[in-house]
DNA sequence: AAAAAGAATGATAGCGCTATCATGACAGCG
DNA sequence: CGCTGTCATGATAGCGCTATCATTCTTTTT
């Protein structure tokens, strides 16, 4: 069998992109040295580093991070999975994460489950496939498959929003306690006919946790704890429409404890439009401490949750873990604060 | 020189992760066939496909997308670069993008420039390194290096928010026209002492474009077009604090045209707290059509911009392009709508 | 001055997957 | 019957980078 040396090799894939090898050649070093010059600058001499950087500049080299990740089975990607982008609360957490992670050179792969745990599982699968170096997810609840997948994963997992025993790291606040806190406030103020109003509680289960705390306090005082559940997700609109519904079902209502500030502010503005006096005709309380609630008159009584701070703290803990440091505490309570307005 | 066959091979990297080869072996086919069964189901027989899928299930295989991307030099990643996450406008665009892209199996790599074009360039570099299949960026302005980098890039580039001649695809609205529209409305209403108020206009240059439109209309009527620039980024707080500043600089002000609804709503709520009547003492107009503005009393006059729609449309166009379809129009005007409230 | 340790660089062999070409089996057809 | 075409599958060779080990040369130690 005679070879045909003039035959063009069969496996030729083109790519006009500049590669590290080209940079290396241009700088007069081997590819691996060029790699070191870019990723472990201390491992090469000053001259070499300068030459390589000059070549990078000259050729307009853009590192292929995909190839790098495959070779090193590491990546500077961090998966962030949230249940919603409409709810500004998650966006603020993302913002906290993002500003801290991006400063350390990490990129965020963003996923939205739309409050669907099966969707979450799918996203987790996909993201693991990108060999992310960590995963941030909102909440402690996952479906079975997701749990199993994550349990065998060797990278840090950060569960945010609610405090509790998670799979790995956890930064959040105690929602049951927050519910108790607000309910106590309302009872102390002398209200007795208090309705809790939330939206899609099966999905937004943290709102249900707050209701649990709320109910416990009311029952301890021998008071009934009625709840009204809205169909639509929390929003100003839903809040403003909820007023009628509450009064229809509970005509004697003195105070409404809303699951979040969007609903509460919507109701407050609607009450004003209807000529109701807040808090004399109806007291209104929220949760989150959104700027909106602080700017309406009367100012909304709410519970401040440190959302951006939660994101920042989560990011910092992740970075500590990723840089090999021992992580002492696995759980971080960011707390909350009762913000007294004039709406109660 | 004698070889030592008992010597352990030198290049051994471990990885307990299940690979496609293992799946293939378990299914009794070659790796490439297993690959096809997962990615080109029509290219294999039904039996083979079933066997492979069963093996995937059995072994808990999670595809290594990094390896796949390197081999195919394609990825299901789409880079999204926005100037801010505080401004809910961008978040809504992201939401529109995200829900449409995720449905097609694309993931979003999120970057935040914080209104810094150099930062944008860095992000673009990084994201190109991930061989994203497309890039979405807010705005038509980029720095020189970024332009050069993108001009040579062979994947779709989608510039959103503002309408204009972009690098590739474009979905947005005409901000100059929007500024004209609101200014005309104010002039028609009989206002003559009109102040435009914005924040960090050098960075939020779309707000300046609206001012340009605003100024043109006022000047056409022989009216002066004073502008007040705030230091802090647009927010309710900045808006509420801006009132005093405006009156200090322009005591006779009849109407304020705010660069966005956050500022406008903040000012409106502040005016009410100060006992000013809106619109009789002071008329207030905004831009964006945020829900907030529609729920305050008086309802805010503003310009509705279809933000989620913009994201969805951008995503759809990208998907069309990515699936190889010819893209007819490169520019899409999503328009805007004057929303008359009682605040003017 | 010889031995040991360190610093800088390079050669090699993959990371896990898919593009490309090659093969064998079988159908249709003049 | 041989020819072409289609279908299902496989063998091979990378994608662009870095981990690992090997080498050379310089510095430090005894």
């Amino acid at each position: 069998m005679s070879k045909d040396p003039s035959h063009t090799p069969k496996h030729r894939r083109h790519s006009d992109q500049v590669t590290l090898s080209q940079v290396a050649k241009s700088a007069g070093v081997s590819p691996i040295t060029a790699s070191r010059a870019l990723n472990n600058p201390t491992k090469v001499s000053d001259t070499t580093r300068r030459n390589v950087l000059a070549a990078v500049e000259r050729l307009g080299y853009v590192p292929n991070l995909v190839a790098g990740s495959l070779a090193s089975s590491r990546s500077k990607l961090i998966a962030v999975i949230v249940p919603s982008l409409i709810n500004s609360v998650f966006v603020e957490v993302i913002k906290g994460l993002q500003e801290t992670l991006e400063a350390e050179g990490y990129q965020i792969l963003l996923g939205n489950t739309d409050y669907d745990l099966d969707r979450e599982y799918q996203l987790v699968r996909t993201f693991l496939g990108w060999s992310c170096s960590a995963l941030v997810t909102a909440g402690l609840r996952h479906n079975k498959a997701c749990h199993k997948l994550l349990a065998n994963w060797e990278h840090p997992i950060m569960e945010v929003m609610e405090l509790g025993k998670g799979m790995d790291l956890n930064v959040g606040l105690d929602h049951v306690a927050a519910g108790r806190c607000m309910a106590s406030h309302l009872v102390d103020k002398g209200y007795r006919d208090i309705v809790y109003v939330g939206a899609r509680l099966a999905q937004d289960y943290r709102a249900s946790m707050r209701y649990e705390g709320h109910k416990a306090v009311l029952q301890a005082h021998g008071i009934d704890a009625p709840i009204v559940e809205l169909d639509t997700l929390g929003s100003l609109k839903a809040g403003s429409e909820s007023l009628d519904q509450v009064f229809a079902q509970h005509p004697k209502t003195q105070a409404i404890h809303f699951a979040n500030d969007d609903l509460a502010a919507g109701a407050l503005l609607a009450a004003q439009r209807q000529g109701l006096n807040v808090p004399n005709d109806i007291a209104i309380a929220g949760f989150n401490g959104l700027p909106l609630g602080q700017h309406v008159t009367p100012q909304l009584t709410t519970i401040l949750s440190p959302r951006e701070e939660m994101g920042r703290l989560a990011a910092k803990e992740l970075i500590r873990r990723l840089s090999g440091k021992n992580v002492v505490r696995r759980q971080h309570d960011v707390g909350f604060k009762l913000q007294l307005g004039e709406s109660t």
Side-chain angles (χ1 to χ4, degrees), chain A:
Chain A
M1 242 194 271
S2 70
K3 284 185 192 164
D4 176 7
S6 73
H7 178 61
T8 34
K10 108 174 143 179
H11 286 278
R12 254 311 132 78
R13 318 231 190 112
H14 54 297
S15 167
D16 40 0
Q17 227 207 297
V18 180
T19 69
L20 228 208
S21 296
Q22 295 173 35
V23 170
K25 185 181 288 178
S26 168
V29 297
S30 73
I32 184 67
T33 300
S35 167
R36 279 193 279 250
L38 295 177
N39 303 317
N40 289 71
T42 60
K43 298 275 183 191
V44 299
S45 71
D46 282 0
T47 340
T48 306
R49 179 166 55 255
R50 263 195 300 278
N51 287 341
V52 171
L53 290 178
V56 164
E57 201 60 40
R58 197 159 53 238
L59 303 179
Y61 170 67
V62 176
N64 184 329
L65 300 175
V66 177
S69 298
L70 179 59
S72 64
S73 57
R74 282 185 284 101
S75 84
K76 280 279 202 171
L77 287 180
I78 292 192
V80 175
I81 299 180
V82 295
S84 162
L85 287 174
I86 308 179
N87 191 331
S88 65
V89 167
F90 298 110
V91 176
E92 292 179 70
V93 175
I94 292 174
K95 197 181 162 291
L97 284 165
Q98 202 258 14
E99 83 184 35
T100 313
L101 292 176
E102 216 165 277
E104 296 282 326
Y106 289 95
Q107 307 314 133
I108 286 185
L109 253 177
L110 182 65
N112 176 357
T113 68
D114 215 7
Y115 285 105
D116 176 348
L117 293 185
D118 295 330
R119 184 89 199 87
E120 181 190 49
Y121 170 61
Q122 288 305 331
L123 283 171
V124 167
R125 263 180 71 97
T126 307
F127 289 168
L128 295 204
W130 279 108
S131 43
C132 292
S133 35
L135 179 112
V136 180
T137 173
L140 295 167
R141 301 194 187 171
H142 315 289
N143 73 19
K144 204 138 193 170
C146 189
H147 242 111
K148 197 176 147 199
L149 195 58
L150 289 177
N152 293 319
W153 200 47
E154 66 242 353
H155 295 270
I157 297 166
M158 169 64 78
E159 291 163 290
V160 294
M161 302 310 290
E162 70 202 269
L163 195 67
K165 208 170 143 33
M167 312 195 68
D168 186 8
L169 299 165
N170 173 240
V171 169
L173 58 92
D174 183 338
H175 287 262
V176 178
R180 275 200 304 267
C181 173
M182 182 58 83
S184 298
H185 164 71
L186 292 173
V187 170
D188 289 353
K189 276 274 182 175
Y191 300 109
R192 286 300 174 269
D193 290 298
I194 308 172
V195 177
Y196 187 90
V197 175
R200 284 176 70 186
L201 292 171
Q203 287 135 331
D204 184 3
Y205 64 84
R206 281 175 288 273
S208 321
M209 294 170 79
R210 295 194 290 276
Y211 172 65
E212 290 310 316
H214 166 97
K215 191 170 70 175
V217 168
L218 266 59
Q219 289 183 341
H221 286 79
I223 310 174
D224 225 27
I227 183 168
V228 169
E229 181 166 1
L230 311 174
D231 300 330
T232 44
L233 261 180
S235 69
L236 285 174
K237 185 149 176 290
S240 70
E241 291 166 355
S242 70
L243 262 190
D244 291 343
Q245 199 176 331
V246 169
F247 282 121
Q249 290 178 34
H250 307 280
K252 291 173 36 184
T253 305
Q254 300 169 324
I256 308 180
H257 180 179
F258 281 97
N260 61 57
D261 277 8
D262 288 295
L263 291 173
L268 194 151
L269 294 169
Q272 290 181 333
R273 279 198 298 276
Q274 295 178 21
L276 290 172
N277 178 287
V278 178
N280 293 335
D281 296 327
I282 182 73
I284 291 177
F287 174 81
N288 265 335
L290 296 189
L292 168 56
Q294 309 309 298
H295 286 265
V296 291
T297 317
Q299 191 188 317
L300 185 65
T301 294
T302 188
I303 286 186
L304 276 175
S305 63
R307 300 173 296 282
E308 273 197 47
E309 178 52 26
M310 195 152 37
R312 275 194 296 268
L313 182 56
K316 277 184 208 152
E317 283 298 298
L318 275 182
I319 288 166
R320 273 180 60 182
R321 171 71 83 79
L322 288 169
S323 50
K325 296 208 183 65
N326 264 21
V327 172
V328 192
R329 302 174 59 195
R330 310 204 134 204
Q331 239 179 71
H332 286 263
D333 186 351
V334 292
F336 57 83
K337 193 166 145 274
L338 179 64
Q339 170 94 3
L340 291 176
E342 298 92 37
S343 71
T344 52

